[in-house]
Amino acid sequence: MVNTKILIGSPINQEPDILKEFLLSLANLKTDTMEIHYLFIDDNQNEESSRLLRHFAKWKKDVAILSAKEDSIYIRTDFTHFWNDALIWKVARFKDMLIEQAKFEEFDYLFLIDSDLLLHPNTLHTLISTKKEIVSEVFWTAWQEGTIPYPQVWLTDEYTHWRQADEGAITDEEKAVQTEAFIQQLQTPGVYEVGGLGACTLISRKALLAGIHFSKIKNLSFWGEDRHFCVRAVALGLDLHVDTHLPAYHIYRSSDLTGIPAFKEKCQYAYSELPIYPEKADSHQIRLSMIVKNEEGRYLQTMLKKVKPFIDEAVIIDDASTDQTISIFLQELKGMPIKLVKNASSQFANEVELRKQQWLEATNGFLGWVLNLDADEWFEESFIDYIDDFVKQDTIDLYCFRLYDMWDEDHYREDEYWQAHFLYRPFLARVRSTFQPVWKETPQHCGRFPENIFQLTHSLSTIRVKHLGWAKEKDRLEKYERYKLLDPNSLYGNEKQYESILDKNPRLKQW
């Protein structure tokens, strides 16, 4: 029997005490007959919350963490929660990323859930059994302290619990009657059609492929990304439903924490604690640093499979990709944090600025090791036998390796103009707070590290780096054309080397 494949996705900006309970709730879901994967967008301001996500990733394995910490601050008090437009549409972007990843990895369902909810263990089974394209599990919240709880679903408009009469306005009395009837209905176990929903929603692949998403509908003034999602879904012919058999528990304010033990006892949770795993010392952490653009269908998946065993996290500069490059990162680097920086337009025409951006993002607030690789480069397999020794010693801050320009999978080029492998190039550097980078200020061929990187105490390694960027004729032609466009007068590179790219019978050596 083929298991139902489900992506559980959540943008997370949460206090540790609440987040811990949320993660335990996910761990307690009954998922027999299911293949569960997780994608968390880490927007936490609290490092302890980020640490909890890392521990959960080690526990559950199929967990991708996209680090997306920004300057916007979500203000949360025991009275209410405060949102502004920037926060709303930031979360909308996050949710749309979850949708795109669910489509890319061909999940049967995407389960979108807010990080302040606790679930009954049978929630996923129950929602799937409804056979609805979009269905939420109900939960109840007193939106202001001391008021009666209301559901997170509604019938019309932004949050209306009555239906407007076809012939025009209805009286306040009729509104109250309809509202009470709707509330009573949701307190009876069942599955009901609604006009709006959110926060705890199972979305089928059919709905994902139909084109649902959370971005703003420009001629709609409704406030909140869930409203725009729901209007778009219905316009696409997708009905919205709520299940009320297994209401979730909403930790809306700190006082709601007191109700957790009773909810967990009622649900008979199997796990009571989140496992805590040992973590590397900060100074031994290895951060993969990459600049990528449109790497789908090339070497990226192979490269990430090879590098994943010895890195702890990744910082990616996406230089305006138009393909599924980022989805590949999220698929291949499950279990570790990924920080993504997206450039709206490509900066490669002025490479030095792009490399400065890469260095700044990779080193900011980090005191471990930066491993700088391109998407078509990887070390030979012996690298993994030495990497721990490299990063745990205290005297060397920079490791250099020889790069081999491969002309096919098994041969590298060696002649008058192709001698990169005779030199040792920096790839792995320890971040020192005292180091002040100085760059080779050229728009092309400026180097992946600062020009003064060799001020760091460095060592040469005999481990080789395989560079597949020249291995296909199509790629060679594209590079040739790019160099001729960006450096037409060969100011930054060697004209004869540029022309040699087109050689029909280059001198090749066995790898």
Side-chain angles (χ1 to χ4, degrees), residues 257-473:
L257 290 167
T258 60
I260 292 176
F263 180 82
K264 291 164 71 171
E265 182 177 359
K266 180 180 71 173
C267 295
Q268 296 183 328
Y269 276 16
Y271 299 108
S272 59
E273 292 294 335
L274 186 70
I276 302 300
Y277 296 87
E279 294 191 287
K280 283 185 182 179
D282 289 346
S283 60
H284 298 162
Q285 296 274 323
I286 301 174
R287 175 179 284 181
L288 175 65
S289 173
M290 295 181 67
I291 297 173
V292 293
K293 181 179 180 182
N294 293 340
E295 304 294 344
E296 183 182 4
R298 300 187 69 245
Y299 303 99
L300 182 59
Q301 285 177 298
T302 300
M303 180 267 182
L304 292 175
K305 282 181 170 64
K306 290 179 177 293
V307 77
K308 183 179 179 180
F310 48 79
I311 63 172
D312 301 290
E313 56 189 67
V315 175
I316 310 302
I317 307 292
D318 179 19
D319 197 39
S321 290
T322 56
D323 63 1
Q324 297 292 334
T325 292
I326 296 306
S327 293
I328 294 170
F329 275 100
L330 294 174
Q331 180 185 50
E332 296 297 336
L333 294 187
K334 288 180 179 177
M336 62 184 58
I338 304 170
K339 180 180 179 182
L340 169 64
V341 180
K342 290 180 70 70
N343 290 338
S345 58
S346 177
Q347 305 300 306
F348 190 76
N350 191 8
E351 185 187 0
V352 66
E353 295 303 319
L354 193 56
R355 294 297 184 180
K356 288 178 181 179
Q357 179 190 22
Q358 181 186 19
W359 176 260
L360 179 63
E361 294 292 349
T363 60
N364 187 29
F366 184 64
L367 293 176
W369 292 81
V370 171
L371 177 63
N372 191 326
L373 287 172
D374 289 344
D376 50 16
E377 298 172 344
W378 54 78
F379 291 93
E380 56 187 333
E381 293 181 3
S382 62
F383 184 74
I384 198 168
D385 299 326
Y386 294 90
I387 184 62
D388 277 354
D389 292 336
F390 288 167
V391 301
K392 289 180 179 178
Q393 53 73 42
D394 295 323
T395 57
I396 305 298
D397 291 333
L398 179 69
Y399 287 96
C400 304
F401 306 84
R402 290 177 295 164
L403 178 77
Y404 287 72
D405 290 317
M406 308 300 294
W407 232 248
D408 60 35
E409 294 285 342
D410 301 310
H411 298 85
Y412 61 91
R413 184 168 177 177
E414 180 180 299
D415 56 36
E416 181 181 0
Y417 301 111
W418 296 89
Q419 302 180 358
H421 51 281
F422 292 160
L423 305 175
Y424 287 85
R425 300 165 184 266
F427 283 87
L428 180 65
R430 192 202 314 259
V431 178
R432 292 291 192 186
S433 58
T434 55
F435 178 74
Q436 298 298 315
V438 175
W439 292 88
K440 181 181 179 182
E441 298 286 346
T442 59
Q444 294 296 305
H445 307 299
C446 62
R448 70 181 74 201
F449 278 112
E451 190 174 31
N452 63 334
I453 195 72
F454 288 104
Q455 289 179 1
L456 299 177
T457 305
H458 51 277
S459 177
L460 310 182
S461 171
T462 58
I463 299 169
R464 299 176 297 171
V465 180
K466 206 172 191 179
H467 177 213
L468 278 296
W470 303 99
K472 296 178 181 177
E473 184 177 10

Side-chain angles (χ1 to χ4, degrees), residues 46-283:
N46 190 310
E47 177 55 32
E48 175 63 16
S49 294
S50 296
R51 189 177 70 88
L52 288 172
L53 292 181
R54 295 196 297 270
H55 289 304
F56 187 85
K58 291 179 180 179
W59 186 20
K60 291 299 177 182
K61 306 304 180 187
D62 283 318
V63 182
I65 303 172
L66 179 60
S67 180
K69 301 175 186 181
E70 299 181 10
D71 293 334
S72 300
I73 297 175
Y74 176 28
I75 304 173
R76 179 189 294 106
T77 72
D78 280 354
F79 176 69
T80 188
H81 296 195
F82 298 91
W83 288 81
N84 57 45
D85 279 350
L87 282 169
I88 288 287
W89 300 115
K90 178 175 76 170
V91 171
R93 292 195 305 273
F94 291 166
K95 290 180 178 178
D96 284 344
M97 292 181 71
L98 295 170
I99 287 173
E100 289 305 310
Q101 193 64 21
K103 290 160 62 176
F104 175 75
E105 293 196 57
E106 299 184 349
F107 284 96
D108 298 309
Y109 292 95
L110 168 63
F111 184 44
L112 286 178
I113 180 168
D114 285 2
S115 62
D116 54 5
L117 293 174
L118 304 188
L119 302 172
H120 189 285
N122 289 327
T123 297
L124 284 177
H125 278 289
T126 299
L127 291 177
I128 291 173
S129 71
T130 67
K131 298 183 179 179
K132 302 300 184 184
E133 305 301 343
I134 303 176
V135 58
S136 288
E137 187 57 57
V138 75
F139 61 87
W140 299 81
T141 309
W143 301 116
Q144 277 79 41
E145 200 163 18
T147 62
I148 64 171
Y150 275 85
Q152 95 283 14
V153 297
W154 60 98
L155 287 174
T156 59
D157 301 330
E158 289 188 270
Y159 190 64
T160 301
H161 298 131
W162 66 85
R163 295 189 186 279
Q164 190 73 30
D166 291 339
E167 60 271 16
I170 63 173
T171 65
D172 289 344
E173 182 180 2
E174 179 59 24
K175 290 177 183 178
V177 170
Q178 286 196 34
T179 297
E180 179 62 23
F182 181 62
I183 298 302
Q184 288 296 325
Q185 181 185 51
L186 297 186
Q187 291 174 345
T188 304
V191 180
Y192 307 103
E193 186 173 351
V194 293
L197 46 71
C200 186
T201 306
L202 187 72
I203 306 171
S204 71
R205 181 157 182 80
K206 177 182 176 181
L208 295 171
L209 296 178
I212 50 97
H213 54 95
F214 286 85
S215 62
K216 185 176 179 62
I217 300 173
K218 63 182 179 181
N219 62 342
L220 190 67
S221 64
F222 288 169
W223 189 79
E225 82 285 358
D226 285 334
R227 278 79 176 174
H228 293 254
F229 170 88
C230 293
V231 170
R232 183 177 282 110
V234 174
L236 289 168
L238 299 165
D239 292 331
L240 309 172
H241 291 83
V242 63
D243 177 87
T244 63
H245 289 91
L246 303 172
Y249 184 76
H250 192 195
I251 313 171
Y252 189 62
R253 49 183 60 87
S254 60
S255 58
D256 294 321
L257 290 167
T258 60
I260 292 176
F263 180 82
K264 291 164 71 171
E265 182 177 359
K266 180 180 71 173
C267 295
Q268 296 183 328
Y269 276 16
Y271 299 108
S272 59
E273 292 294 335
L274 186 70
I276 302 300
Y277 296 87
E279 294 191 287
K280 283 185 182 179
D282 289 346
S283 60

